[in-house]
Amino acid sequence: MIKTSAASVAELWARIPKLALFGAAALVQVALLSVMIIDRSQILREGTEVTLQTRPVDPRDPLRGDYVVLGYDISQLPAGSLLNQTAGERNPMVFVKLAPNRDGLYQAVSVHAEPVAVTSPEVLIRGRVAYGATCGSTGRVFCDNLQIRYNLESYFVPEGEGLKLEQIRNQSKLTVVAAVLPSGRAAIKRLLIDGKPAYEEPWF
């Protein structure tokens, strides 16, 4: 009975034109790409803008292709109240409360394992503790210093301009305007050089 069913399925599969199969696969890929574009567009359109100071990145990090590797002042933070608490996994998700300083740059106020309430102009941004940045024998306890990634660590630029931007970044002249949704998800909206817009991320 099982063999008969399997044979029937195989026979039915063989009857489907290969062109139809390729078309279906292409439609799935287009649908997935569309979902990603729409999701990013939502963040850029509806997210609260926060300006973040970049910091020099280890020069051993090469420029890969035409994108800039970005690090931030909020990328390395003390664990605060999370110190020695159970992380649950090796690269746990965390929520960082941000608030603007007198220069309008957003800085970290506190780090939390769960979302917390914020009041404007505060913003809650979501990130993940980098692999290897948790402690303990099981590697599932928060260390005293956390390295956090926010999905804002790279930015594609026109061909040939990446190295110049990395040099500007290392001179602390590059700031990033990110859009942050209430859920904490974030995306880069524009790059500023010496406070002036240099690159704008299109919605589509």
Side-chain angles (χ1 to χ4, degrees), residues 1-171:
M1 181 72 173
I2 296 177
K3 289 183 178 180
T4 302
S5 298
S8 299
V9 171
E11 184 179 351
L12 180 62
W13 182 263
R15 290 180 180 176
I16 300 175
K18 292 189 186 300
L19 185 60
L21 293 176
F22 286 129
L27 285 175
V28 170
Q29 291 181 349
V30 169
L32 291 174
L33 183 60
S34 298
V35 169
M36 293 172 60
I37 292 173
I38 292 171
D39 180 67
R40 184 174 181 83
S41 175
Q42 180 193 14
I43 298 175
L44 296 177
R45 184 178 63 251
E46 301 177 9
T48 300
E49 289 191 4
V50 300
T51 304
L52 303 171
Q53 178 62 56
T54 62
R55 61 165 51 181
V57 174
D58 189 333
R60 290 173 296 179
D61 265 348
L63 175 70
R64 291 170 246 173
D66 289 304
Y67 72 82
V68 181
V69 179
L70 298 169
Y72 302 91
D73 288 347
I74 63 170
S75 296
Q76 296 183 5
L77 299 174
S81 61
L82 290 183
L83 179 60
N84 294 328
Q85 288 192 25
T86 302
E89 53 184 320
R90 290 186 181 274
N91 58 330
M93 185 177 294
V94 293
F95 296 83
V96 180
K97 182 187 289 190
L98 304 177
N101 61 17
R102 289 182 297 180
D103 297 323
L105 296 173
Y106 274 73
Q107 297 179 325
V109 175
S110 53
V111 186
H112 309 269
E114 302 290 340
V116 296
V118 295
T119 56
S120 183
E122 295 175 336
V123 169
L124 198 66
I125 188 171
R126 187 175 76 182
R128 281 197 177 274
V129 177
Y131 181 79
T134 47
C135 303
S137 57
T138 62
R140 287 172 168 76
V141 175
F142 286 105
C143 302
D144 54 349
N145 289 298
L146 305 178
Q147 183 178 349
I148 305 172
R149 298 187 181 278
Y150 303 94
N151 199 31
L152 304 173
E153 284 72 32
S154 60
Y155 187 80
F156 286 89
V157 295
E159 184 176 357
E161 296 188 21
L163 183 58
K164 177 185 71 175
L165 276 177
E166 290 200 334
Q167 292 171 343
I168 293 171
R169 173 208 63 197
N170 289 344
Q171 297 169 4

